[in-house]
Amino acid sequence: MNFLITGGAGFLGAALSNRLFRQGHHVRVLDDLSTGDPEVLHPDIHFTRGDINDRPKLWTLLQEIDCVYHLAARVSVPESILFPRDYNEVNVGGTATLMEAVRDAGTTRVVLASSGAIYGNQDDPMLSEGMPPHPSSPYAVSKLASEWYVRTIGALSGVETICLRIFNAYGPGQRIPPAHPPVIPNFIRQALQNGTLIFHGDGNQTRDYVYVDDVVNAMVACATVDYVKEKVINVGSGAETSIRDLAKLVKEIAGGDPEEVYNPRIGSGVSRMCADISLAKEKLNYVPLIPLDMGLRLTLEQDPQFKNGSK
Ligand code: NAD
């Protein structure tokens, strides 16, 4: 098959692009490299540097494409609180631009990387697709709006669409930006340096951490699964882990005895999250294969950022 992957030089996009390429598919990547790195892609993947709002470029890249994976986005919850307009322009505007181009190019299927963040705080932390969304950050709003652009333009134009609500993905290749780093690679780095594990809040907030290869399995399945109208599907591990328990595991695996420091909470204020993955199991034959302790070990061993860091 022929694939276009937007944001394909990023953490999840590169893992997906390389997997599809290794399976023998033709893969094109569009990425503006604002956070991505083309060096992590197999050299024979067709890479184009460009913006998701560049419609002529999209039109050219979409010729002969069967399925688009749309991952290009700004991805930080705290940053989105500071710069909601940028998040709207790239995440929402970019999705509308892509869907307009997809519609006109006659592409068969679009898979959107949406987010578990769209649920926000709910009475029941086991989050299932039927719950009314309650986004509590501009990032989450932008992902919910993206879902609706994908679903609506898809339904109006006959393009098949699947929106994957991905929970907290982690694994080798996840960047650690200086501002608002993701918790797992940041904790691993801090533990290896025997530095300080910084908590935002009391550490009792929970998340569903899902290993990158499991996310890629779910994404790959979306290309060929029999289509049922406008699917929205959770992708997580199905396990709920507190930040305190995560820190304990990281210390066991990375070694060291870093000091724990508790700072005031930042971000969206969502207290508990766990993905109900029944629908993914049913529709995508999805089974998460890598539990958190194993995923942390693999991250430590395989991520060049942590080279020689294993206990
Ligand atoms: P990432 O930052 O590594 O990847 C995003 C990619 O998009 C980067 O390569 C970046 O350069 C590119 N990009 C940003 N703005 C662009 C623009 N204007 N035009 C073209 N390309 C642009 O982040 P990631 O963690 O790999 O996330 C990929 C997707 O998955 C995002 O849509 C994100 O919202 C979604 N998602 C990720 C997670 C997670 O835990 N990693 C969870 C839920 C959803």
Side-chain angles (χ1 to χ4, degrees):
M1 287 177 72
N2 296 330
F3 292 99
L4 172 64
I5 303 174
T6 75
F11 164 49
L12 293 179
L16 173 67
S17 301
N18 288 330
R19 170 86 70 86
L20 290 170
F21 182 80
R22 280 198 306 271
Q23 290 178 345
H25 300 291
H26 294 281
V27 178
R28 291 178 196 155
V29 164
L30 173 71
D31 197 299
D32 74 347
L33 302 186
S34 50
T35 61
D37 174 7
E39 296 294 314
V40 297
L41 292 170
H42 188 286
D44 292 337
I45 289 177
H46 182 282
F47 174 75
T48 301
R49 184 172 188 170
D51 192 280
I52 191 62
N53 275 304
D54 184 339
R55 198 180 180 286
K57 203 168 262 179
L58 277 172
W59 171 257
T60 307
L61 289 172
L62 280 167
Q63 302 309 309
E64 317 287 326
I65 291 294
D66 305 302
C67 176
V68 177
Y69 287 97
H70 179 37
L71 284 80
R74 304 279 294 263
V75 303
S76 160
V77 167
E79 188 189 62
S80 78
I81 294 168
L82 296 173
F83 305 109
R85 211 162 51 114
D86 292 351
Y87 274 66
N88 190 63
E89 186 178 320
V90 175
N91 296 8
V92 184
T95 302
T97 306
L98 174 72
M99 288 308 294
E100 204 179 286
V102 156
R103 175 198 65 195
D104 296 347
T107 311
T108 308
R109 188 171 287 194
V110 173
V111 181
L112 171 72
S114 181
S115 171
I118 64 104
Y119 291 108
N121 273 315
Q122 304 270 348
D123 292 338
D124 182 352
M126 184 55 81
L127 304 169
S128 57
E129 293 83 350
M131 287 173 161
H134 195 254
S136 55
S137 67
Y139 169 74
V141 170
S142 76
K143 284 288 155 180
L144 185 58
S146 299
E147 281 188 6
W148 279 105
Y149 268 115
V150 164
R151 295 174 67 179
T152 308
I153 299 175
L156 289 170
S157 57
V159 178
E160 301 174 348
T161 64
I162 302 175
C163 301
L164 294 180
R165 290 180 177 164
I166 302 164
F167 282 63
N168 286 65
Y170 72 97
Q174 190 168 23
R175 285 175 59 251
I176 318 180
H180 318 301
V183 63
I184 288 189
N186 197 35
F187 271 5
I188 293 178
R189 182 182 57 178
Q190 289 167 337
L192 289 174
Q193 294 171 347
N194 215 6
T196 308
L197 295 192
I198 303 200
F199 291 71
H200 297 287
D202 61 9
N204 291 322
Q205 65 270 40
T206 64
R207 293 291 182 268
D208 179 322
Y209 298 103
V210 57
Y211 191 66
V212 55
D213 289 359
D214 285 328
V215 177
V216 170
N217 290 344
M219 289 177 147
V220 169
C222 288
T224 50
V225 72
D226 282 345
Y227 185 64
V228 182
K229 227 172 111 215
E230 291 178 38
K231 276 201 290 265
V232 175
I233 304 178
N234 285 345
V235 178
S237 69
E240 185 182 11
T241 305
S242 73
I243 309 284
R244 280 178 191 260
D245 287 343
L246 172 68
K248 255 189 238 155
L249 267 179
V250 169
K251 282 192 206 176
E252 273 169 38
I253 290 163
D257 188 19
E259 187 193 351
E260 296 186 356
V261 171
Y262 292 83
N263 285 342
R265 277 204 77 160
I266 53 168
S268 65
V270 177
S271 50
R272 293 181 64 188
M273 291 183 80
C274 185
D276 176 344
I277 52 173
S278 337
L279 194 63
K281 286 181 176 166
E282 184 195 323
K283 301 289 183 196
L284 303 177
N285 283 327
Y286 167 76
V287 180
L289 299 174
I290 311 289
L292 185 55
D293 57 344
M294 190 191 294
L296 292 174
R297 277 179 217 285
L298 289 170
T299 306
L300 190 61
E301 284 163 18
Q302 295 181 4
D303 193 322
Q305 296 177 101
F306 307 129
K307 222 171 28 192
N308 306 322
S310 180
K311 205 165 97 164

